[in-house]
Amino acid sequence: MPRINNAQLPPEVESHHDVVLAVHGGAGVMTRGSMTAAVEKNFLSKLEGALKAGFKHLKKGGSSVDAVEAAVRYLEDCPVFNAGRGAVLTSNGRIELDASIMDGASGLAGAVACVTTVKNPVSCARAVMERTHHVLLAGSGAEQFAQKQKLEIVDPSYFITDRQWEKFERFKSAHEVGSNGNGKSITGTKVKKKAAKKDIKKYGTVGAVARDNKGNLAAATSTGGIIGQKFGRVGDSPIVGAGVYADNATCAVSSTGQGEYFMRSLTAYDVAALMKYAGMPVAQAAYKAIHISLTGKGAQGGIIVLDAKGECVMPFNSEGMFRGCITKKGEVFTSIYR
Amino acid sequence: MPRINNAQLPPEVESHHDVVLAVHGGAGVMTRGSMTAAVEKNFLSKLEGALKAGFKHLKKGGSSVDAVEAAVRYLEDCPVFNAGRGAVLTSNGRIELDASIMDGASGLAGAVACVTTVKNPVSCARAVMERTHHVLLAGSGAEQFAQKQKLEIVDPSYFITDRQWEKFERFKSAHEVGSNGNGKSITGTKVKKKAAKKDIKKYGTVGAVARDNKGNLAAATSTGGIIGQKFGRVGDSPIVGAGVYADNATCAVSSTGQGEYFMRSLTAYDVAALMKYAGMPVAQAAYKAIHISLTGKGAQGGIIVLDAKGECVMPFNSEGMFRGCITKKGEVFTSIYR
């Protein structure tokens, strides 16, 4: 197996130290210049808001689980990310939300898939972790559970923003199948398809990883899936080892990208496995999981990774990834592009 | 990390050579003498039937994916295992079936969760793998997909056997919550609970791993979950890396046991990770995943593992595991206890 030493790490794998919390707001096609300065600023301020929402808990001695839940709740409530309010719509114009959380101290995890009425899916995932013997609850069962747990329930319309509705209309019209009168199907114009394709390539999942005063790690991930998804598709976000992973002995990971590749490659757990079985430092392990394994499979995405010593890396092979981290002293770093 | 050499392998980890197909019918509390000789014989003959159903494909040059699908279909159709017909009932007396399949040559995988009308969930998992870009479809979406794919659809009553209905009644009466008139709840008698608990401790998931003429590996798993499960619980069976995994470079794995532990430990992928990152031979890697990791977490279950050279190990830490394998020459081995 090829060993990678620090000298081989490409410059885009920034390594941050003394980090207590990192967040991401998704990876994808976000070329420099495609967003206005005002839009970029808004994204960066939201990432900073999420970091501060989680940091508040850590500062007063809260757990890493509290911190990742608070950061992800903040991002779920932001309409600009594909999680909670502002999530993308499925092929039939519905919302299907997935979320997960993992506690690196206990090794426990919780997740929900295909929920449509739970305001903050990450909090429902936490309730699954802390109040059941299960890891993953799906669909109406998960919603019944959320109601029983007195979590905040909203009408599905709460999640739907004008921006996502427009994207959905674009998706629908690009994928509309009509007939040209000869029995052959005709689909939307190339232009429409191109615009819709660009929408698909934004993997706006959100996530957070944290390390608390006691050195305990945690990770959480939340998503609205991919635009126009069909058939109750479940991606990597609610899957332990794919979209989320945390273990004090290695690292905490939250993923974003083409979920199916992360599911087949167990990307989040793979970083931990490379650290514990191959003895790789966190930066090399994360680099290999994205820039060798994922890139080698022709897939796009990124991860945020934090180890027990506070080293944080956020590798991605897409054009951009909304990301940020905060150090123990409260120094904030946020970024979008490579 | 502690290295285990062959001399340290306990005798119960049987290692078989020149194997082309292995199957399991679940692990759990199956003490010697708790079943009549006739019942034992029936189980063993069903395992042999599954091995032969898969072997038929391998013999005529079929793929390992064909072989695991055929073996698991056979076990799904058998009413004595907790998968397909004969599956356990959920808390509200329903059937919820999960299944998965993975192709070690391509690294592709497919899975379904919470389906109630698809006669052979493993075939639906295969259709997800081969005919979509997705890995996991859940609930009614998965059923709509199955219908579109012209898979065999049955009424949910098809799956319910008298045996499982009786177990469900026992479970219900043991978990019935009444009132003693003082506003305090009273539950079923201790005796009932004990019987019901024993039912829960049978993890009757089924699975298969195979290696074909070309040396390609595949794995498949199918289950009815755990008796009385609530809230759309999804276990490890449809989760790549937990209940199923296959990669030609390492091994094929199918899991059975307390699913939540397998999900948090990524048990199936862990065997592969130990092989590729720690350089462990298949027998040691499988031994560590079950007898060190799983046992260390206080959980029960087992795995069947096959590597590209035809070495097959089937470690379990429960009292028994229905298991069997068949060699290239057609020699059959089946067993229940340690």
Side-chain angles (χ1 to χ4, degrees):
Chain A
M1 164 193 29
R3 280 291 177 117
I4 305 143
N5 59 46
N6 261 318
Q8 286 176 275
L9 282 180
E12 70 257 39
V13 181
E14 312 132 319
S15 183
H16 300 266
H17 295 272
D18 217 24
V19 169
V20 290
L21 177 66
V23 298
H24 71 79
V29 179
M30 299 173 276
T31 42
R32 230 178 268 267
S34 68
M35 284 185 272
T36 65
V39 169
E40 283 181 14
K41 211 177 148 187
N42 183 41
F43 273 114
L44 294 176
S45 81
K46 298 299 185 205
L47 292 169
E48 187 165 345
L51 288 168
K52 288 187 173 165
F55 187 64
K56 204 174 66 185
H57 288 272
L58 295 171
K59 229 177 149 180
K60 62 180 188 200
S63 72
S64 53
V65 172
D66 292 338
V68 294
E69 185 194 8
V72 170
R73 279 180 70 102
Y74 182 96
L75 294 167
E76 284 176 343
D77 292 343
C78 277
V80 298
F81 298 107
N82 176 20
R85 183 161 147 72
V88 301
L89 299 172
T90 65
S91 62
N92 51 4
R94 278 162 49 90
I95 287 282
E96 274 182 8
L97 306 171
D98 302 339
S100 60
I101 196 164
M102 189 159 185
D103 176 352
S106 64
L108 293 177
V112 290
C114 307
V115 299
T116 63
T117 60
V118 184
K119 181 167 176 271
N120 288 105
V122 71
S123 296
C124 193
R126 183 174 182 173
V128 172
M129 174 171 79
E130 295 181 343
R131 304 179 208 166
T132 79
H133 294 297
H134 301 318
V135 171
L136 176 56
L137 303 184
S140 60
E143 304 200 325
Q144 281 169 39
F145 170 75
Q147 278 170 22
K148 277 208 169 183
Q149 298 299 320
K150 313 268 183 232
L151 298 179
E152 195 171 348
I153 303 297
V154 293
D155 186 86
S157 63
Y158 159 80
F159 298 107
I160 303 175
T161 58
D162 290 346
R163 184 171 143 266
Q164 290 300 349
W165 187 259
E166 279 161 29
K167 279 192 188 179
F168 171 66
E169 293 284 353
R170 204 148 65 211
F171 177 89
K172 243 187 18 185
S173 89
H175 290 78
E176 234 160 34
V177 178
S179 168
N180 62 2
N182 296 319
K184 283 185 188 166
S185 66
I186 49 165
T187 56
T189 67
K190 270 189 187 174
V191 177
K192 278 183 185 170
K193 273 210 161 167
K194 209 173 162 187
K197 217 169 177 181
K198 213 169 164 186
D199 290 339
I200 291 177
K201 284 204 171 167
K202 284 174 192 157
Y203 312 107
T205 299
V206 307
V209 290
R211 178 178 65 105
D212 61 27
N213 287 345
K214 294 181 184 156
N216 290 327
L217 297 175
T221 305
S222 182
T223 193
I226 45 179
I227 190 168
Q229 71 181 18
K230 283 200 287 191
F231 299 131
R233 175 253 184 192
V234 178
D236 63 321
S237 299
I239 307 296
V240 174
V244 74
Y245 189 73
D247 175 13
N248 281 358
T250 51
C251 60
V253 185
S254 173
S255 314
T256 171
Q258 291 176 279
E260 275 71 9
Y261 292 87
F262 286 75
M263 292 168 90
R264 294 187 286 251
S265 305
L266 286 314
T267 306
Y269 180 65
D270 208 34
V271 178
L274 284 162
M275 290 175 73
K276 64 180 173 174
Y277 299 145
M280 278 192 193
V282 66
Q284 276 96 322
Y287 172 81
K288 184 176 183 297
I290 296 300
H291 292 285
I292 297 180
S293 303
L294 199 69
T295 302
K297 285 173 181 159
Q300 286 206 333
I303 47 177
I304 55 172
V305 187
L306 181 62
D307 78 0
K309 289 179 204 141
E311 184 167 354
C312 174
V313 283
M314 303 185 273
F316 58 98
N317 66 359
S318 46
E319 301 206 23
M321 178 165 84
F322 296 113
R323 63 200 185 279
C325 62
I326 188 165
T327 66
K328 203 169 184 174
K329 287 181 188 161
E331 296 150 326
V332 169
F333 162 89
T334 57
S335 189
I336 302 175
Y337 311 106
R338 277 186 198 162
Chain B
M1 165 192 31
R3 281 289 177 118
I4 306 141
N5 59 46
N6 261 318
Q8 286 175 274
L9 283 180
E12 71 257 38
V13 181
E14 314 131 319
S15 183
H16 300 267
H17 295 272
D18 217 24
V19 169
V20 290
L21 176 69
V23 297
H24 70 79
V29 179
M30 300 172 275
T31 42
R32 231 178 267 268
S34 67
M35 284 185 272
T36 65
V39 169
E40 284 181 11
K41 210 176 149 187
N42 183 40
F43 273 113
L44 294 175
S45 82
K46 298 299 184 205
L47 292 169
E48 187 165 344
L51 288 168
K52 289 186 171 165
F55 187 65
K56 204 174 64 184
H57 289 270
L58 295 171
K59 229 176 150 181
K60 61 179 187 197
S63 73
S64 52
V65 172
D66 292 338
V68 294
E69 184 193 8
V72 170
R73 280 181 70 102
Y74 182 97
L75 294 166
E76 284 176 343
D77 293 344
C78 276
V80 298
F81 299 106
N82 176 22
R85 183 161 147 73
V88 300
L89 299 172
T90 65
S91 61
N92 52 1
R94 277 161 51 89
I95 287 281
E96 275 182 6
L97 306 171
D98 303 337
S100 61
I101 196 164
M102 190 159 184
D103 176 353
S106 64
L108 293 177
V112 289
C114 307
V115 298
T116 62
T117 60
V118 183
K119 182 169 175 270
N120 289 105
V122 71
S123 296
C124 193
R126 184 175 182 174
V128 172
M129 174 170 81
E130 295 180 343
R131 302 178 208 168
T132 79
H133 295 297
H134 300 318
V135 172
L136 175 57
L137 303 184
S140 60
E143 303 199 326
Q144 281 169 40
F145 169 75
Q147 278 170 21
K148 277 208 170 184
Q149 297 300 319
K150 313 267 182 233
L151 298 178
E152 195 170 350
I153 303 296
V154 293
D155 187 85
S157 63
Y158 158 80
F159 298 107
I160 303 175
T161 58
D162 291 346
R163 184 171 144 264
Q164 291 299 351
W165 188 257
E166 279 161 29
K167 278 192 188 178
F168 170 66
E169 293 283 354
R170 203 148 66 211
F171 177 88
K172 243 186 19 185
S173 89
H175 290 79
E176 233 160 33
V177 179
S179 168
N180 62 3
N182 296 320
K184 285 184 187 169
S185 66
I186 49 166
T187 56
T189 66
K190 273 189 186 173
V191 177
K192 279 181 184 171
K193 274 209 162 169
K194 209 173 163 188
K197 217 168 177 181
K198 214 170 165 185
D199 290 340
I200 291 177
K201 285 204 171 168
K202 283 174 193 158
Y203 313 107
T205 298
V206 307
V209 290
R211 180 177 63 107
D212 61 28
N213 286 347
K214 295 181 184 157
N216 290 326
L217 297 175
T221 304
S222 182
T223 192
I226 45 179
I227 190 167
Q229 72 181 18
K230 283 200 288 190
F231 298 131
R233 175 252 184 193
V234 178
D236 64 321
S237 300
I239 308 295
V240 173
V244 74
Y245 190 73
D247 175 13
N248 280 359
T250 51
C251 59
V253 185
S254 173
S255 313
T256 171
Q258 292 175 278
E260 276 72 9
Y261 292 88
F262 285 75
M263 293 169 89
R264 294 187 287 251
S265 305
L266 286 314
T267 306
Y269 181 65
D270 208 35
V271 178
L274 285 162
M275 291 174 74
K276 64 180 173 174
Y277 299 145
M280 279 192 192
V282 66
Q284 276 96 321
Y287 172 81
K288 185 178 183 295
I290 296 301
H291 293 285
I292 298 180
S293 302
L294 199 70
T295 302
K297 286 173 181 158
Q300 285 207 333
I303 46 178
I304 56 172
V305 187
L306 182 62
D307 77 1
K309 290 179 204 141
E311 184 167 355
C312 174
V313 284
M314 302 184 273
F316 57 97
N317 66 1
S318 46
E319 300 206 26
M321 178 165 84
F322 296 113
R323 64 200 185 278
C325 61
I326 187 164
T327 66
K328 203 169 183 173
K329 288 181 188 163
E331 296 150 327
V332 169
F333 162 89
T334 57
S335 189
I336 302 175
Y337 311 106
R338 278 186 197 162

